[in-house]
């Protein structure tokens, strides 16, 4: 008996939304559909499907790699202070990308599109790297970038492809070949939040700006929420920039910030900026509380080095106590070298490298090896009601009196020098 395979998502924890199946399908009969939580899932047109099984064969969830320990680990920073300022941590990605571009290569990364959605794209110029810098705490739309990368590779071009661990694992399954001139870079990933939830959140932020009382978005179903850029235009304002990791108050105390031009249809247009510190941003609070991550993130198929990325980048949290001489609160990267190819690429850059123990990085970045647990509040968050996004997060993430006292006590100890 020959088993005929095809994608059929029964348990949503078994799909990371990488789009590898969509891009590789020989009949192009798979498309991504947004569900009620705002995530994309593949659906097969059974009238066209030939049941070849290729979609399941390249799935990074069904075919997971082996866990591995990095060859080398570094604390690192880009010597260019302006690049480091506009990067989430130490600016190492830009240094790697510039090296590839200077050799005639192509760099893939995540950027905002004209609708303020996070998408994967590529650039062939150093100027184009600015759009890829900075964290985007929303799952990106991969589109057909695996196909694009493959065409460049087959044409002999060097390619740097950056993404989350599951995206890198999916790219490797898609290519099914080890290209010497491909450099893969992933990140220490906490999990990917819902694009639909972010639209909901930004809709309320815009409503506050224009002063519309009772302006509400009901989260179920998420697909009914308009695109953020449409909301902005309708209300006479234009989004100019969004930053999840704004360093205005420092790297460790980063903020969520966005810039608007208000009154675009009048002669009184003005630029306005909004900034919310980490503990006062409802979106970041819900994200760090794991309330609206993709279901597969609670059982990530690519953590612990299973993506086989050449280099893994993240924040070197704990630098203040582990290597205080490097801590200037401007951002330090943790760099984990996974392959000899990754080591060669890193050595070709001008970044400042400081060898560190793997255990130091792993101890401060549990997301490197462990998936987060499903929080009790997740089901509460997705319960349909008339509450605003901010009120939902406030109710679910309310900090107890004991926790507030504990935080205050720790802050006093740090300020007094008793505790680093």
């Amino acid at each position: 008996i020959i088993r005929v395979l095809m994608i059929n998502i029964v348990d949503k924890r078994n799909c990371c939304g990488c789009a590898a199946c969509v891009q590789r399908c020989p009949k192009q009969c798979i498309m991504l559909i947004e569900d009620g939580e705002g995530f994309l899932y593949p659906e097969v047109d059974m009238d066209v499907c030939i049941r070849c099984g290729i979609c399941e064969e390249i799935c990074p969830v069904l075919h997971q790699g082996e866990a591995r320990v990095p060859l080398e680990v570094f604390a690192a920073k880009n010597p260019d202070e302006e690049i480091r300022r506009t990067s989430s941590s130490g600016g190492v990605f830009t240094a790697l990308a510039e090296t590839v571009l200077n050799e005639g290569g192509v760099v893939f990364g995540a950027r905002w599109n004209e609708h303020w959605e996070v998408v994967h794209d590529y650039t062939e110029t150093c100027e184009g790297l600015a759009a890829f810098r900075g964290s985007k705490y929303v799952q990106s739309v991969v589109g057909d970038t695996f196909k694009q990368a493959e065409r460049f590779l087959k044409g002999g071009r060097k390619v740097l492809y950056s993404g989350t661990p599951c995206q890198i694992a999916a790219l490797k399954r898609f290519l099914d070949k080890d290209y010497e001139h491909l450099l893969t870079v992933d990140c220490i990933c906490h999990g990917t939040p819902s694009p639909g939830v972010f639209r909901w959140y930004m809709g309320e932020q815009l409503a506050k700006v224009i002063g519309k009382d009772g302006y509400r978005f009901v989260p179920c179903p998420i697909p009914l929420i308009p695109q953020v850029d449409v909301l902005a235009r309708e209300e006479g304002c234009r989004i100019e920039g969004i930053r999840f990791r704004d360093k205005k108050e420092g790297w460790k105390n980063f903020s969520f910030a966005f810039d608007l031009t208000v009154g675009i249809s009048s002669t009184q247009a003005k630029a306005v900026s909004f900034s919310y510190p980490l503990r006062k941003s409802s979106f970041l609070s819900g994200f760090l509380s794991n309330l609206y991550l993709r279901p597969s993130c609670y059982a990530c198929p690519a953590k612990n080095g299973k993506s086989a990325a050449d280099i893994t980048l993240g924040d070197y949290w704990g630098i203040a106590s582990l290597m205080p001489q490097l801590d200037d609160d401007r951002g330090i990267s943790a760099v984990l070298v996974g392959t000899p190819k990754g080591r060669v690429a890193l050595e070709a850059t001008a970044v400042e490298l400081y060898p560190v123990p793997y255990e130091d990085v792993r101890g401060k970045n549990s997301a490197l090896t462990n998936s987060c647990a499903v929080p009790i509040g997740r089901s509460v968050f997705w319960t349909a009601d008339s509450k605003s996004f901010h009120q939902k997060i406030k109710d679910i993430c309310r900090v107890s009196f004991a926790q507030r006292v504990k935080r205050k006590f720790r802050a006093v100890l740090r300020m007094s020098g008793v505790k680093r």
Side-chain angles (χ1 to χ4, degrees):
I1 299 176
I2 300 176
R3 185 187 174 204
V4 181
L5 303 175
M6 60 185 172
I7 288 290
N8 180 27
I9 307 300
V10 177
D11 185 341
K12 290 185 175 180
R13 290 175 298 180
N14 294 330
C15 176
C16 61
C18 65
C21 58
V22 177
Q23 298 177 74
R24 186 54 85 195
C25 176
K27 302 299 289 184
Q28 293 297 288
C29 65
I30 306 175
M31 64 185 302
L32 294 175
I33 305 297
E34 190 173 285
D35 75 344
E37 291 186 353
F39 293 109
L40 297 175
Y41 290 91
E43 288 191 7
V44 181
D45 184 342
M46 300 305 300
D47 293 332
V48 182
C49 178
I50 59 175
R51 295 162 177 79
C52 62
I54 292 177
C55 53
E56 284 202 1
E57 183 59 34
I58 66 172
C59 177
V61 177
L62 297 177
H63 305 279
Q64 299 182 20
E66 296 293 327
R68 62 178 187 174
V69 175
L71 303 179
E72 296 175 289
V73 182
F74 299 95
K77 63 178 180 178
N78 194 312
D80 187 319
E81 287 300 321
E82 178 58 22
I83 289 176
R84 191 155 68 116
R85 184 187 67 81
T86 56
S87 302
S88 291
S89 49
V92 175
F93 163 76
T94 298
L96 291 166
E98 287 176 340
T99 301
V100 171
L101 292 172
N102 290 336
E103 295 177 357
V106 184
V107 174
F108 287 80
R111 67 169 180 84
W112 297 103
N113 69 6
E114 64 275 14
H115 301 304
W116 292 100
E117 300 163 323
V118 181
V119 299
H120 255 71
D121 200 354
Y122 70 86
T123 183
E124 299 177 82
T125 68
C126 289
E127 291 76 18
L129 294 177
F132 296 157
R133 280 197 287 272
S135 298
K136 284 90 175 174
Y137 292 146
V138 180
Q139 183 166 35
S140 68
V141 177
V142 172
D144 61 352
T145 55
F146 291 177
K147 281 185 175 181
Q148 293 171 343
E150 184 178 49
R151 285 196 294 269
F152 285 125
L153 290 168
K154 287 182 175 179
R157 301 277 297 276
K158 286 192 173 183
V159 171
L160 185 159
Y161 197 102
S162 64
T164 60
C166 60
Q167 289 171 340
I168 297 303
L171 173 67
K172 289 179 172 289
R173 295 292 306 178
F174 177 89
L175 295 173
D176 195 29
K177 178 181 177 180
D178 184 20
Y179 288 89
E180 182 57 34
H181 44 295
L182 169 66
L183 180 69
T184 53
V185 179
D186 69 1
C187 58
I188 301 176
C189 181
H190 178 86
T192 55
S194 162
V197 168
F198 183 67
R199 293 200 303 270
W200 178 23
Y201 169 74
M202 284 303 298
E204 288 196 357
Q205 297 307 306
L206 293 174
K208 292 177 183 177
V209 173
I210 62 173
K212 277 198 173 182
D213 295 331
Y215 197 57
R216 294 287 182 265
F217 292 89
V218 180
C220 298
I222 282 293
L224 294 180
I225 299 174
Q227 292 170 327
V228 171
D229 71 308
V230 174
L231 291 169
R233 289 199 305 270
E234 289 178 350
E235 304 306 339
C237 58
R238 181 174 62 242
I239 299 175
E240 306 291 355
I242 298 175
R243 299 177 300 284
F244 285 104
R245 295 281 299 277
D246 188 88
K247 292 181 180 179
K248 185 178 180 180
E249 301 299 326
W251 167 54
K252 291 186 283 292
N253 189 33
F254 60 86
S255 304
F256 173 80
F258 62 95
D259 307 314
L260 298 177
T261 296
V262 181
I264 57 177
S265 58
S266 69
T267 58
Q268 304 298 319
K270 60 179 180 178
V272 183
S273 294
F274 298 85
S275 180
Y276 301 91
L278 175 60
R279 296 193 185 279
K280 293 186 178 180
S281 165
S282 53
F283 184 83
L284 291 180
S285 294
F287 165 48
L288 295 177
S289 298
N290 311 322
L291 296 178
Y292 32 81
L293 303 182
R294 190 180 182 95
S296 61
C297 294
Y298 303 110
C300 178
K303 283 191 183 297
N304 216 8
K306 292 196 290 184
S307 71
D310 297 305
I311 294 176
T312 297
L313 301 177
D315 293 280
Y316 200 113
W317 298 126
I319 194 74
S321 58
L322 297 171
M323 300 181 73
Q325 71 277 13
L326 292 181
D327 182 30
D328 57 7
D329 203 25
R330 297 176 186 171
I332 299 292
S333 295
V335 182
L336 295 86
V337 179
T339 66
K341 186 195 304 184
R343 180 189 294 123
V344 171
L346 191 61
E347 290 174 348
T349 70
V351 298
E352 300 174 21
L353 299 172
Y354 305 88
V356 295
Y358 173 51
E359 292 302 322
D360 284 359
V361 175
R362 189 171 68 170
K364 295 293 185 179
N365 287 276
S366 61
L368 182 61
T369 55
N370 302 319
S371 299
C372 53
V374 181
I376 296 174
R378 193 180 195 279
S379 59
V380 177
F381 176 81
W382 289 108
T383 301
D385 53 40
S386 60
K387 292 181 180 179
S388 67
F389 178 89
H390 178 74
Q391 189 60 52
K392 268 185 176 283
I393 297 301
K394 184 177 179 180
D395 291 347
I396 296 172
C397 302
R398 181 176 284 114
V399 179
S400 69
F401 176 75
Q403 289 173 312
R404 292 198 299 272
V405 170
K406 189 175 182 180
R407 286 179 183 176
K408 186 67 175 178
F409 186 59
R410 283 180 171 175
V412 170
L413 290 178
R414 281 194 295 268
M415 291 175 64
S416 65
V418 174
K419 180 178 185 287
R420 279 185 174 177

